[in-house]
Amino acid sequence: MNQITKEDIAKSIRDIPDFPKKGILFKDLTTAFKKPEILTAISDDLYEYYASSGITKVVGIESRGFIAGSILASRLGAGFVPIRKPGKLPGDTYAFEYDLEYGSDTIEIHKDALEKNDIVLLHDDLLATGGTASAALELLKIFEVSNVMINFIVELSFLKGRDSLSDEYDIYSMITF
Ligand code: AMP
C-alpha cells in the first residue's frame, strides 16, 4: 500500500454524530473516497488481500458497497453484482426480508446474477450489527455457491456484527474502530 497507512485511511473517514438518527455515530467514507491517494490505497489494500483468491464475482451491497466493490472487481478481473433495495433491479429477482430494530427491510438480487461455481466476495463499506450482511448471505445461499468470502472497509467491532456471521467465512475488515 504505497506510503499511505491504514491509520491515514482511518483518519480520512469523517464522523457525523446523530446521523441518520440520534445516537448513531455515522462513519462517512465519502471523505476518504474523495482523496485520490486514499482511494488508491483502499483499492491497493483490497487487491493485495484478494489477488490470489480466484474471485469471479464481487457482490456489492447498495449503495455504499458499490464504490470500492466495483473498483476491486475490475482490478481482480471479476464481475460485479449489485444487491439492491426492492424495486430497483429490472430483471427477475430473489428477495430476502429481514428484521430491523423497528420494522423490516428487504434486499434483492437478480436471479441470473451468480452461478453455483462462482467464487464470491461479498463486499460492503461497513459492518455494524451484521444484519445487512447476514441477509445478503441468505440471498447467496439460494445460488448454492460454496465459496464465499466477506469484506468490509470498516468494522465497528463494539457492535459485534462479526458474531452474527458464521465463522465458516473468511471475513476481512481493513479498518476496525
Ligand atoms: P448493519 O446491518 O447494522 O451491519 O449495518 C450495515 C449497513 O448500514 C452498511 O451498509 C452501512 O453502510 C450502514 N451503517 C450502519 N451503521 C453505520 C455507521 N455507524 N456509519 C456508517 N454506516 C453505517
Side-chain angles (χ1 to χ4, degrees), residues 24-27 64 124-133 156:
I24 306 271
L25 182 64
F26 193 86
K27 295 284 181 190
R64 290 181 284 264
D124 203 357
D125 69 328
L126 183 140
L127 173 66
T129 64
T132 311
L156 301 181

Side-chain angles (χ1 to χ4, degrees), residues 74-88:
S74 173
R75 287 198 66 180
L76 292 172
F80 179 80
V81 169
I83 284 183
R84 299 208 62 183
K85 295 182 179 127
K88 301 283 188 187

Side-chain angles (χ1 to χ4, degrees), residues 54-95:
I55 290 162
T56 57
K57 300 269 172 59
V58 177
V59 176
I61 303 176
E62 181 167 359
S63 56
R64 290 181 284 264
F66 294 174
I67 301 165
S70 49
I71 294 171
L72 178 61
S74 173
R75 287 198 66 180
L76 292 172
F80 179 80
V81 169
I83 284 183
R84 299 208 62 183
K85 295 182 179 127
K88 301 283 188 187
L89 290 170
D92 287 343
T93 57
Y94 294 121

